């Protein structure tokens, strides 16, 4: 079977999509022809290898100056037309390139799947034969939108478990907790780090990341020497900061199922986030999804009970290992294959 993962957001490399590259590698190990495709700002096609050895095909974007969701790639579309895959899985939904690629596929024989990350409801769902989601909440939302059940499975996040385990092992003791809370993410309005400013006077805080709103947040933090803006850190360094924190405060105003929440749990650090912003419901007390007016009071209440936070940290690790632990991608590849081998559209 010929399966193609299309990463709809244009970029030169794999970042959060390392999972899709590893799934492609697992499918190849099962004897199938699997590859990853993506557009990028480049003059000509090129081929590299995704992690695990699957081919990673890069195609020139037609208009790299456009906003990412509006870009297309005629070279990718023509390659797909000639390739005639049996299954195409789109990582992303609200992208013009989805419609462009669908026009190149023989819909009587090619099955269409969506790997749902952020946007879970979109008109492009009408083309789906199955979906791979990151939470049961997303699957339920798709069912409500379509008015029917669509074959679906939940995919685990890909976590760098060796790096996470190292960070966690080095910071389990109370004296290793250097920060009351941390926040990890790009500095932009949606990530909303400024919402943490009321905590700046009396908390030890690490804000990891960089971006356009960093200067404004830095100005708020300047009178408070216990607030540290670390700038961009490597992933192992960021994990170490998270594991050194009693709590993760995720102030974003809109997300899918944020990788940083799962990574924080894997580091043994509980999380507080806005309930209206997250397309998931976590069946663990180690994640508190609360309304905006309860965000800061919940953080303060948790920080006041360190023994309870230690217990929540152990629960966080348990939950992350159970739902996203090492070794879960291979079974996920087999599940994906079962969905992909369903009855073709008529």
């Amino acid at each position: 079977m010929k399966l193609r993962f299309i990463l709809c957001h244009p970029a030169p490399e794999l970042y959060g999509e390392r999972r899709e590259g590893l799934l492609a590698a697992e499918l190849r190990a099962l004897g199938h022809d699997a590859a990853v495709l993506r557009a990028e700002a480049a003059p000509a096609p090129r081929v590299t290898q995704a992690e695990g050895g699957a081919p990673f095909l890069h195609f020139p974007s037609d208009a790299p100056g456009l906003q990412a969701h509006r870009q297309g790639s005629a070279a990718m579309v023509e390659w797909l037309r000639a390739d005639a895959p049996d299954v195409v899985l789109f990582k992303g939904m609200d992208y013009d390139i989805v419609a462009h690629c669908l026009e190149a596929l023989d819909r009587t024989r090619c099955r269409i799947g969506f790997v749902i990350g952020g946007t879970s409801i979109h008109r492009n769902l009408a083309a789906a034969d199955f979906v791979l989601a990151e939470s049961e909440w997303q699957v339920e939302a798709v069912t409500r939108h379509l008015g029917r059940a669509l074959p679906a499975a939940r995919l685990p996040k890909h976590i760098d478990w060796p790096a996470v385990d190292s960070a966690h092992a080095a910071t389990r003791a109370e004296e290793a907790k250097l920060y009351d809370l941390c926040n990890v993410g790009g500095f932009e309005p949606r990530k909303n780090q400024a919402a943490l400013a009321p905590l700046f006077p009396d908390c030890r805080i690490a804000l990891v990341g960089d971006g356009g709103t960093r200067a404004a947040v830095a100005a708020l933090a300047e009178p408070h020497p216990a607030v540290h803006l670390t700038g961009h850190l490597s992933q192992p360094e960021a994990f170490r900061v998270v594991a050194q924190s009693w709590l993760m405060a995720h102030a974003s105003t809109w997300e899918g199922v944020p990788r940083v929440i799962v990574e924080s749990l894997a580091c043994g650090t509980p999380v507080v986030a806005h309930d209206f912003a997250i397309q998931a419901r976590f069946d663990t007390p180690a994640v508190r999804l609360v309304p905006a007016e309860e965000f800061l009071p919940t953080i303060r209440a948790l920080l006041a009970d360190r023994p309870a936070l230690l217990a929540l940290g152990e629960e966080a690790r348990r939950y992350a290992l159970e739902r996203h632990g090492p070794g879960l991608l291979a079974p996920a590849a087999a599940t994906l294959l079962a969905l992909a081998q369903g009855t073709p559209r008529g």
Side-chain angles (χ1 to χ4, degrees):
M1 181 177 285
K2 192 183 292 186
L3 304 99
R4 305 293 181 239
F5 290 85
I6 297 179
L7 307 180
C8 295
H9 191 287
E13 304 294 343
L14 285 171
Y15 293 102
E17 303 90 356
R18 290 173 68 193
R19 175 184 61 188
E20 281 65 38
L22 289 167
L23 284 171
E26 292 284 354
L27 291 166
R28 291 175 69 83
L30 293 171
H32 299 276
D33 176 359
V36 181
L37 285 62
R38 179 172 240 169
E40 63 175 353
R46 64 188 180 105
V47 180
T48 61
Q49 279 192 332
E51 185 175 348
F56 185 10
L57 286 69
H58 310 254
F59 297 90
S61 169
D62 296 337
L66 289 182
Q67 196 269 343
H69 290 70
R70 306 287 76 86
Q71 293 183 35
S73 174
M76 181 191 294
V77 170
E78 289 310 307
W79 187 91
L80 271 178
R81 196 184 306 276
D83 183 54
D86 301 299
V87 180
V88 169
L89 299 106
F90 293 97
K91 172 66 185 299
M93 197 178 304
D94 186 19
Y95 291 82
D96 290 355
I97 202 166
V98 175
H100 300 164
C101 291
L102 286 173
E103 291 179 0
L105 301 171
D106 180 356
R107 298 300 315 289
T108 63
R109 58 172 299 277
C110 179
R111 286 175 60 79
I112 304 300
F114 285 96
V115 181
I116 297 175
T119 301
S120 58
I121 303 301
H122 191 270
R123 61 181 178 276
N124 283 330
L125 269 178
D129 294 293
F130 63 96
V131 295
L132 298 162
E134 295 184 324
S135 74
E136 290 81 359
W137 186 95
Q138 291 171 325
V139 174
E140 293 166 2
V142 168
T143 299
R144 289 193 300 271
H145 173 74
L146 294 176
R148 59 184 173 86
L150 197 64
R154 189 185 63 82
L155 281 180
K157 291 280 193 185
H158 173 258
I159 305 295
D160 184 347
W161 280 101
V164 161
D165 289 345
S166 175
H168 176 254
T171 57
R172 295 185 70 179
E174 288 193 42
E175 57 268 23
K177 302 298 184 184
L178 303 183
Y179 306 104
D180 296 312
L181 60 96
C182 64
N183 175 278
V184 179
F187 278 75
E188 56 170 299
R190 178 171 61 91
K191 294 297 185 179
N192 195 32
Q193 288 92 341
L196 301 175
L199 299 168
F200 289 179
D202 49 42
C203 288
R204 301 170 301 161
I205 300 175
L207 303 176
V208 179
D210 209 344
T213 62
R214 181 183 173 186
V217 177
L220 295 171
E222 196 275 331
H224 309 293
V227 179
H228 301 275
L229 279 73
T230 70
H232 175 75
L233 297 178
S234 69
Q235 192 171 70
E237 291 171 328
F239 289 160
R240 181 62 63 94
V241 170
V242 172
Q244 289 171 332
S245 303
W246 285 98
L247 193 63
M248 163 75 73
H250 191 69
S252 177
T253 58
W254 188 87
E255 297 276 359
V257 183
R259 173 180 306 280
V260 70
I261 288 182
V262 179
E263 289 174 338
S264 184
L265 298 177
C267 288
T269 304
V271 179
V272 178
H274 290 127
D275 59 0
F276 59 84
I278 309 299
Q279 294 188 47
R281 296 296 176 261
F282 292 86
D283 186 22
T284 171
V287 180
R288 306 294 173 91
L289 299 179
V290 298
E293 64 273 14
E294 296 179 21
F295 184 66
L296 296 178
T298 300
I299 290 170
R300 293 187 187 279
L302 286 169
L303 289 176
D305 190 346
R306 298 304 165 93
L309 275 178
L310 282 176
L312 282 178
E314 295 303 311
E315 162 60 17
R317 282 277 295 179
R318 182 206 66 77
Y319 182 85
L321 284 163
E322 176 186 282
R323 303 272 292 193
H324 305 277
L328 292 182
L329 275 181
T335 300
L336 184 165
L337 191 60
L339 291 174
Q341 290 173 329
T343 304
R345 295 170 68 99

